[in-house]
Amino acid sequence: MRTRDECVAADQADVLAPLKAQFSLPPGVLYLDGNSLGAKPRAADARAQAVVGEQWGQGLIRSWNSAGWFDLPARLGAKLAPLLGVPGQEVVVTDSTSLNLFKVLAAALRLQGSRRVIVSERDNFPTDLYMIEGMMDFLDRGYELRLIDEQLSLADALDDRVAAVVLSHVNYRSGAMYDMAAVSAQAHAHGALIIWDLAHAAGAVPLALAADGADFAVGCTYKYLNGGPGSPAFLWVAPRHQNAFWQPLSGWWSHKRPFAMSDRYEPAEGIRRYLCGTQPITSLALVECGLDIAAQADMAEVRRKSLALGDLFIELVRTRCAAHPLTLITPQAHVRRGSHVSFRHPEGYAVMQALIARGVIGDYREPEVLRFGLTPLYLGYADVWDAVEILREVLDTRAWDQPAFRERAAVT
Amino acid sequence: MRTRDECVAADQADVLAPLKAQFSLPPGVLYLDGNSLGAKPRAADARAQAVVGEQWGQGLIRSWNSAGWFDLPARLGAKLAPLLGVPGQEVVVTDSTSLNLFKVLAAALRLQGSRRVIVSERDNFPTDLYMIEGMMDFLDRGYELRLIDEQLSLADALDDRVAAVVLSHVNYRSGAMYDMAAVSAQAHAHGALIIWDLAHAAGAVPLALAADGADFAVGCTYKYLNGGPGSPAFLWVAPRHQNAFWQPLSGWWSHKRPFAMSDRYEPAEGIRRYLCGTQPITSLALVECGLDIAAQADMAEVRRKSLALGDLFIELVRTRCAAHPLTLITPQAHVRRGSHVSFRHPEGYAVMQALIARGVIGDYREPEVLRFGLTPLYLGYADVWDAVEILREVLDTRAWDQPAFRERAAVT
């Protein structure tokens, strides 16, 4: 696509284009940040009204049964499961990604007995590293966190002391994607278990957790799954591990008979064992609106379009912003790329603020990284064209070179 | 109050009565279950619409700053703090009560070094016991859970091996309330730390955590604080302990510089150290509607009315339902009672279903317990009169004696 007209034509031929009408996006905005907070499904307003106005306001306590509140984690898990490539009864939507990582890491360490090394990646999303550190510090049992980076490859990090490998399938900053099957097999070859964080993958790339040999997976629903701000996360455990141990955040929702009010803990069978306490129902219920849209899309088509949008974005930046110091940090190879593309720019923070001021919403990540999420459900080729044109204008005119755009907000 | 007219007159003289107009209650319902799920503030619909429609739909990712999403745990904590008798900067609203208990118990155990006993109560709300069990099992370091009950008093359970005492200030089933100052002092006399679960106390009874010598407190916002179904819980840590350790659920929201994306964890100073991951913003934001109503009420007046409603309920049941096998299990002494009253009845489950079918909503707890929450912000004396009249009618006519009322729902 060399012209805007060609992009418009591609949008007209796009089988996913009609889904955009199911989202509400503000006028004048090109939203390239669905990898941080997904756009709002139009159905979410009515759903919020139903949960707050009717289920809470009118149903009151009765809604735990009549509105199915108690079953929401499992019911939403079953809707999400096809996107992860696993059976419906193996997934729950609950708590946060950080907490779910704690649960599955605890389970993995217990399964692994005396192995004392956890492998992760220096460039992993920090909360994953912090949760690992928190657990190691709490257990105080000689665990070691080994971080792969430019100096240490995964192959070199793996040995028979490694209990678990914790990796993000798609890197939050660069958009680089691992080969799940190959890396899972590599971990297993050393007797290590593999935990995948799917925050930047679920809903954006086709997943086959079972076929690819994953042991555990967690991830969030507020990015490509469009579940709403901070909506509860998900958790999957391979059936072979589900009942093998008892995760330590063993609140009453994970009890075999939660309403028997027994004074002794007895874990539920299956994935319900990974629940903990009472869930934030309003936020949780809204997750369904996003899942209902995702269910209408063919994931192979989503992936094809995501890569096409990414190719277009990269090519347009290369050709139309060539005069500016933008460095692509996202792999160009399709098998190595998720659904966002990132560039470094020495004035990255200010450039992003100038873009946002012009309605092109991406985000900024330390250090110097401009990050653009490409969300096939509501973004088109002409949108990408227009966004790059505005980027070009911001750079050509040095529109970013203002004190107001350099001033850091609390949340970047 | 011997007649309904006297109850009506008491309602007319009630200084809290005008607050009822700020809640939305369904017609034909007498709601005596605000101790399980508080009623909906009228403001909650507009707030939900604002968060979903405007902040998410229009503001999108920008709302983390512009709508103050990131600061919500601390901002709501500051609004809640006066109800707990502590300064505003010492409280956060976040995660669930179960998770918050895990955080503070981990902190307490760490502070206590080699002490290996945790004291709680057999009749505590089960999730507290399950979380303690989960932590002991995970640490696998010889911890012992010692449960006080009819055979073992707190005095007998305490010795110099006790690290922490975990008690509910108001018992979820019986409504019995501990003397916080006396019990805290009793624990401290043995060198133990005291953790209070305030789920059935916050917003219902005046609290003075600092003056009463508490070390840690957790509790939920969806009961007497009217925060909405499953709304996030709260957590308080005495300033003397706040920076003394690092709690294990150390997600990025608890990091000193969460957006620096450092690969090493460094805990924030103060109560922010007790946060973990991204919060469910829609559910969290709704908590403010309930807190805003609570802020308008004098807690001494709330307590006075709560006890008067309880006295009335107990006296009316005693006099008007005398022919039936109802056994009061709630202490009658004011200093020993929270804000709900409970009776055992051999057919408790069916009786409660029959009451609910007639619009008197209380709830049932194993074994055989009818539980009635008395919420001064939206319940009046005539409501109590009418509820007991319907209870009397259900019992006199054996209306509960139907198969449909005996059939157990998923959530009881």
Side-chain angles (χ1 to χ4, degrees):
Chain A
M1 286 169 256
R2 299 285 174 91
T3 65
R4 192 177 192 282
D5 285 349
E6 285 179 40
C7 292
V8 170
D11 285 333
Q12 283 163 352
D14 173 17
V15 297
L16 296 175
L19 292 176
K20 183 178 179 177
Q22 297 186 39
F23 291 93
S24 154
L25 285 159
V29 159
L30 293 168
Y31 194 57
L32 283 82
D33 210 6
N35 56 322
S36 188
L37 172 62
K40 189 195 73 177
R42 287 191 188 279
D45 299 275
R47 182 64 61 97
Q49 205 172 10
V51 174
V52 174
E54 290 154 39
Q55 296 176 12
W56 178 17
Q58 302 295 307
L60 290 158
I61 193 70
R62 298 170 291 196
S63 291
W64 281 105
N65 282 305
S66 60
W69 286 348
F70 193 73
D71 293 328
L72 269 175
R75 196 164 65 76
L76 297 178
K79 282 206 175 192
L80 171 57
L83 296 176
L84 310 181
V86 298
Q89 73 278 14
E90 294 180 6
V91 180
V92 281
V93 178
T94 189
D95 294 332
S96 67
T97 308
S98 300
L99 291 164
N100 289 340
L101 179 63
F102 190 90
K103 298 172 191 171
V104 300
L105 180 60
L109 295 186
R110 173 161 296 193
L111 277 167
Q112 291 286 41
S114 62
R115 288 180 174 232
R116 284 291 178 272
V117 176
I118 301 164
V119 168
S120 190
E121 186 169 22
R122 194 173 304 284
D123 197 30
N124 202 345
F125 188 69
T127 206
D128 290 14
L129 303 181
Y130 303 161
M131 294 306 292
I132 297 169
E133 281 190 79
M135 184 176 292
M136 294 196 317
D137 182 67
F138 185 54
L139 285 174
D140 191 19
R141 209 172 283 163
Y143 280 98
E144 174 197 334
L145 174 57
R146 199 176 281 171
L147 295 179
I148 62 174
D149 56 17
E150 285 166 12
Q151 273 74 53
L152 182 71
S153 70
L154 179 59
D156 289 337
L158 286 169
D159 60 33
D160 63 6
R161 295 182 55 234
V162 177
V165 178
V166 180
L167 291 175
S168 289
H169 186 223
V170 174
N171 184 275
Y172 80 100
R173 188 194 279 121
S174 70
M177 183 170 75
Y178 279 108
D179 178 334
M180 185 180 285
V183 171
S184 298
Q186 196 179 357
H188 290 163
H190 291 272
L193 295 169
I194 180 92
I195 299 171
W196 289 105
D197 180 339
L198 305 176
H200 285 270
V205 301
L207 293 164
L209 293 173
D212 287 349
D215 294 295
F216 304 91
V218 299
C220 85
T221 65
Y222 52 76
K223 298 179 185 289
Y224 295 101
L225 296 171
N226 307 300
S231 55
F234 64 85
L235 181 153
W236 169 81
V237 176
R240 62 186 175 279
H241 303 314
Q242 276 178 10
N243 297 323
F245 40 74
W246 164 6
Q247 61 89 8
L249 303 180
S250 49
W252 69 308
W253 279 40
S254 73
H255 196 277
K256 196 165 193 168
R257 289 177 296 274
F259 296 96
M261 302 285 163
S262 159
D263 61 6
R264 289 305 300 270
Y265 182 67
E266 203 180 348
E269 297 292 304
I271 196 67
R272 230 170 46 72
R273 181 175 294 203
Y274 287 81
L275 299 176
C276 179
T278 305
Q279 291 301 296
I281 295 301
T282 312
S283 285
L284 186 57
L286 293 176
V287 172
E288 191 162 23
C289 303
L291 294 178
D292 283 343
I293 302 178
Q296 301 165 48
D298 174 355
M299 265 311 291
E301 197 57 47
V302 169
R303 176 63 171 163
R304 202 194 54 71
K305 180 176 171 187
S306 156
L307 290 168
L309 291 171
D311 288 345
L312 177 65
F313 198 101
I314 291 166
E315 179 61 14
L316 289 176
V317 168
R318 193 183 65 79
T319 53
R320 303 185 66 81
C321 306
H324 303 288
L326 287 166
T327 311
L328 179 68
I329 64 167
T330 304
Q332 292 205 58
H334 286 183
V335 294
R336 286 276 290 135
R337 195 206 303 166
S339 196
H340 66 273
V341 297
S342 300
F343 299 87
R344 286 184 78 143
H345 184 285
E347 295 286 348
Y349 187 85
V351 171
M352 184 50 73
Q353 301 318 305
L355 282 173
I356 292 171
R358 280 161 180 73
V360 178
I361 303 181
D363 63 23
Y364 172 80
R365 284 293 174 265
E366 294 293 350
E368 301 184 354
V369 175
L370 300 163
R371 195 173 69 154
F372 300 97
L374 302 165
T375 50
L377 300 185
Y378 50 84
L379 204 71
Y381 300 95
D383 294 330
V384 167
W385 178 279
D386 293 341
V388 176
E389 277 305 282
I390 293 170
L391 172 62
R392 185 178 62 75
E393 182 194 293
V394 161
L395 295 171
D396 285 353
T397 63
R398 291 180 67 88
W400 52 266
D401 195 4
Q402 292 182 32
F405 291 145
R406 289 211 173 84
E407 197 177 302
R408 298 293 174 110
V411 180
T412 59
Chain B
M1 284 170 257
R2 300 283 176 90
T3 65
R4 192 177 192 284
D5 285 348
E6 283 179 40
C7 293
V8 171
D11 285 333
Q12 282 162 352
D14 173 17
V15 296
L16 296 176
L19 293 176
K20 184 177 179 179
Q22 296 185 41
F23 291 93
S24 154
L25 285 159
V29 159
L30 293 168
Y31 195 57
L32 284 82
D33 210 7
N35 56 322
S36 190
L37 172 61
K40 190 195 71 176
R42 287 191 187 280
D45 299 275
R47 182 64 60 97
Q49 205 172 9
V51 174
V52 174
E54 291 154 38
Q55 296 176 13
W56 178 17
Q58 302 295 307
L60 289 159
I61 193 70
R62 298 169 291 196
S63 291
W64 281 106
N65 283 304
S66 60
W69 287 348
F70 194 72
D71 293 328
L72 268 175
R75 195 164 66 75
L76 297 178
K79 280 205 176 192
L80 170 58
L83 295 176
L84 309 181
V86 297
Q89 73 278 12
E90 294 180 6
V91 181
V92 280
V93 178
T94 190
D95 294 332
S96 68
T97 308
S98 299
L99 291 164
N100 289 340
L101 178 64
F102 190 90
K103 298 172 191 171
V104 301
L105 180 61
L109 295 186
R110 175 161 294 193
L111 276 167
Q112 291 287 41
S114 62
R115 289 179 174 235
R116 285 290 178 272
V117 176
I118 301 163
V119 169
S120 191
E121 187 169 20
R122 194 172 305 283
D123 196 30
N124 202 345
F125 187 69
T127 206
D128 290 15
L129 303 181
Y130 304 160
M131 294 306 291
I132 297 169
E133 280 189 81
M135 184 175 293
M136 294 196 316
D137 182 67
F138 186 54
L139 285 173
D140 191 20
R141 210 172 282 163
Y143 280 99
E144 175 197 335
L145 174 57
R146 198 176 281 171
L147 295 179
I148 62 175
D149 55 18
E150 285 166 10
Q151 273 74 51
L152 183 71
S153 70
L154 179 60
D156 289 337
L158 287 170
D159 60 32
D160 63 6
R161 295 182 56 233
V162 177
V165 178
V166 181
L167 291 174
S168 288
H169 186 224
V170 175
N171 184 274
Y172 80 100
R173 187 193 281 120
S174 69
M177 182 170 75
Y178 279 109
D179 178 333
M180 185 180 287
V183 172
S184 297
Q186 196 179 357
H188 290 164
H190 291 271
L193 294 169
I194 180 91
I195 298 171
W196 289 105
D197 181 339
L198 305 176
H200 285 271
V205 301
L207 293 163
L209 294 173
D212 287 349
D215 294 295
F216 304 91
V218 299
C220 85
T221 64
Y222 52 75
K223 298 179 186 289
Y224 295 102
L225 296 171
N226 307 300
S231 55
F234 64 85
L235 182 154
W236 170 81
V237 176
R240 62 186 174 279
H241 303 314
Q242 276 178 9
N243 297 323
F245 41 75
W246 165 5
Q247 61 89 8
L249 304 179
S250 48
W252 69 308
W253 279 40
S254 72
H255 196 277
K256 196 165 194 170
R257 288 176 298 273
F259 295 95
M261 301 287 163
S262 160
D263 61 6
R264 290 305 301 269
Y265 183 66
E266 201 180 349
E269 298 292 304
I271 197 67
R272 232 171 42 75
R273 181 174 295 203
Y274 287 82
L275 299 176
C276 179
T278 305
Q279 291 301 296
I281 295 300
T282 311
S283 285
L284 185 58
L286 293 175
V287 172
E288 191 163 22
C289 303
L291 294 178
D292 283 343
I293 301 178
Q296 301 165 47
D298 174 352
M299 267 309 292
E301 196 58 45
V302 169
R303 176 63 171 162
R304 202 194 55 70
K305 181 176 171 188
S306 155
L307 290 168
L309 291 170
D311 288 345
L312 176 64
F313 198 101
I314 292 168
E315 180 60 16
L316 289 176
V317 169
R318 191 183 66 80
T319 53
R320 303 184 67 82
C321 305
H324 302 287
L326 287 165
T327 311
L328 179 69
I329 65 166
T330 304
Q332 292 206 59
H334 286 183
V335 294
R336 285 275 292 134
R337 195 205 305 166
S339 197
H340 65 273
V341 297
S342 300
F343 299 88
R344 287 183 78 141
H345 184 286
E347 294 285 348
Y349 187 86
V351 171
M352 183 50 73
Q353 302 319 305
L355 283 173
I356 292 171
R358 280 161 180 74
V360 177
I361 303 181
D363 63 23
Y364 173 79
R365 284 293 175 263
E366 294 292 349
E368 302 184 354
V369 174
L370 300 163
R371 194 172 69 152
F372 300 97
L374 303 165
T375 49
L377 299 185
Y378 50 83
L379 204 72
Y381 299 95
D383 294 329
V384 167
W385 179 279
D386 294 341
V388 176
E389 277 305 283
I390 293 170
L391 172 62
R392 185 179 63 75
E393 181 194 292
V394 161
L395 295 172
D396 284 353
T397 63
R398 290 180 67 89
W400 52 266
D401 195 5
Q402 293 182 32
F405 292 145
R406 287 211 173 84
E407 197 176 303
R408 297 294 173 111
V411 181
T412 58

